[in-house]
């Protein structure tokens, strides 16, 4: 290890006694990966909620992301590639965010005391983000692994079968709440941190943040209920994932 790296590692400054720029770079990368994931979350929510329109609408959206505009029958491997990219970004974001988590009981107590004394809403929101982020790392990983390894099992019948018959409803209800809260709080904090929409003021940004949280949680619950309803109704006719996939293909 070079002397410059040793000095920076111990003191956080370079050999010229200037503060290291690495912390700012890591902060920027954390913000960038968080922004990508938040925007993906918003798009994903609208895409999966297409089942509220009709089964055919949801199947059309699925095929669109399989590249049906260029490949007639679609290619599920495209979905696997997107899932792999999201997993990489998720892991990178989690790794970068862990730098700021309380790593022992003493740090946690210091934070709790600080939060209690300040009574500041944004400090409490940060703790919510820590909790939901921790939950998402495990919950989202399961969902993304399924999308990575079984991209062909996405569709109104197949996804509903996974919800009910494969008992993913239990995973998805917690994932829904965690994702929507974490994403909306994250976008709000990014706007404050980087000075986006500063003409609006913090109070207005907070109202937008809560509006986003309520809107996407309600939309998510309606979508969740639709998949559960579909899964229950088709239980008598569909007893395997392959039958569900075949039923989806008949919508083509």
């Amino acid at each position: 290890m070079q002397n410059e790296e040793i000095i920076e590692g111990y003191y956080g400054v370079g050999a010229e006694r200037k503060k290291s720029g690495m912390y700012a770079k890591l902060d920027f990368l954390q913000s960038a990966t968080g922004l990508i994931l938040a925007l993906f979350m918003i798009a994903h929510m609208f895409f999966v909620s297409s089942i509220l329109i009709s089964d055919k609408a949801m199947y059309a959206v699925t095929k669109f992301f399989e590249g049906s505009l260029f490949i007639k029958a679609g290619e599920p491997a495209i979905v696997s590639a997107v899932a792999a990219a999201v997993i990489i970004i998720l892991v990178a974001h989690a790794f970068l965010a862990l730098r700021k988590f309380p790593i022992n009981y003493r740090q946690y107590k210091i934070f709790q005391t600080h939060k209690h004394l300040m009574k500041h809403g944004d400090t409490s929101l940060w703790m919510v983000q820590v909790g939901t982020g921790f939950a998402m790392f495990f919950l989202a990983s399961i969902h993304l692994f399924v999308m990575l390894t079984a991209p062909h099992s996405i569709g109104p019948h197949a996804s509903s079968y996974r919800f009910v018959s494969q008992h993913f409803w239990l995973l998805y209800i917690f994932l829904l709440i965690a994702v929507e809260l974490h994403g909306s709080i994250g976008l709000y904090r990014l706007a404050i941190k980087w000075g986006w929409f500063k003409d609006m003021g913090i109070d207005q940004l907070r109202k937008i943040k809560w509006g986003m949280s309520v809107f996407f949680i309600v939309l998510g619950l309606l979508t969740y209920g639709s998949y559960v309803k579909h899964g229950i109704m088709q239980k008598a006719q569909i007893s395997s994932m392959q039958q569900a996939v075949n039923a989806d293909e008949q919508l083509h």
Side-chain angles (χ1 to χ4, degrees):
M1 182 178 285
Q2 296 180 352
N3 291 336
E4 290 83 358
E5 292 179 341
I6 295 173
I7 292 171
E8 184 177 339
Y10 275 115
Y11 301 109
V13 295
E16 292 128 10
R17 304 187 67 81
K18 292 182 179 179
K19 192 169 180 63
S20 173
M22 182 54 67
Y23 302 104
K25 292 176 183 177
L26 292 176
D27 227 29
F28 174 78
L29 288 173
Q30 181 185 342
S31 296
T33 52
L35 178 61
I36 292 170
L37 291 171
L39 294 177
F40 176 81
M41 174 273 294
I42 291 172
H44 180 271
M45 188 71 259
F46 282 122
F47 297 147
V48 298
S49 66
S50 58
I51 197 170
L52 294 172
I53 301 173
S54 69
D55 288 0
K56 285 189 175 181
M58 197 270 178
Y59 187 73
V61 169
T62 301
K63 285 301 172 183
F64 173 79
F65 284 99
E66 290 181 1
S68 59
L69 290 177
F70 311 101
I71 306 170
K72 188 174 181 181
E75 178 49 68
I78 296 175
V79 176
S80 290
V82 173
V86 173
I87 289 172
I88 292 170
I89 297 171
L90 177 65
V91 171
H93 181 69
F95 177 77
L96 293 165
L98 278 172
R99 299 174 301 124
K100 300 180 179 179
F101 280 24
I103 61 173
N104 54 44
Y105 180 72
R106 178 172 173 75
Q107 288 188 5
Y108 172 74
K109 285 299 293 181
I110 290 172
F111 172 79
Q112 284 291 89
T113 302
H114 175 75
K115 181 168 73 76
H116 176 74
L117 290 174
M118 286 192 66
K119 292 183 171 58
H120 191 262
D122 286 5
T123 306
S124 300
L125 284 179
W126 182 81
M127 199 60 191
V128 172
Q129 205 173 17
V130 169
T132 53
F134 183 78
M136 277 176 56
F137 188 75
F138 297 98
L139 300 175
S141 296
I142 298 170
H143 174 62
L144 288 168
F145 181 76
V146 173
M147 299 302 100
L148 177 69
T149 58
H152 61 284
S153 64
I154 303 173
H157 295 92
S159 296
S160 298
Y161 181 84
R162 182 162 43 251
F163 255 85
V164 175
S165 299
Q166 293 186 339
H167 310 294
F168 270 67
W169 62 270
L170 185 58
L171 170 79
Y172 288 152
I173 190 63
F174 291 109
L175 181 59
L176 167 65
I177 303 300
V179 167
E180 302 309 336
L181 285 177
H182 191 86
S184 58
I185 293 172
L187 286 173
Y188 164 74
R189 288 176 59 82
L190 283 177
I192 299 296
K193 182 171 187 173
W194 297 103
W196 302 338
F197 316 111
K198 57 185 177 182
D199 292 340
M200 288 186 177
I202 292 180
D203 289 341
Q204 186 65 25
L205 287 174
R206 282 177 184 163
K207 290 178 182 177
I208 294 172
K209 173 257 167 298
W210 285 115
M212 282 186 62
S213 295
V214 171
F215 174 79
F216 281 109
I217 288 175
V218 170
L219 179 62
L221 289 174
L222 290 173
T223 303
Y224 178 94
S226 183
Y227 280 109
V228 170
K229 179 182 177 182
H230 275 65
I232 293 172
M233 289 177 64
Q234 70 186 24
K235 229 177 177 185
Q237 294 80 30
I238 297 176
S239 57
S240 70
M241 178 58 79
Q242 187 56 54
Q243 287 182 348
V245 171
N246 293 339
D248 282 334
E249 290 177 350
Q250 292 176 11
L251 296 170
H252 190 64

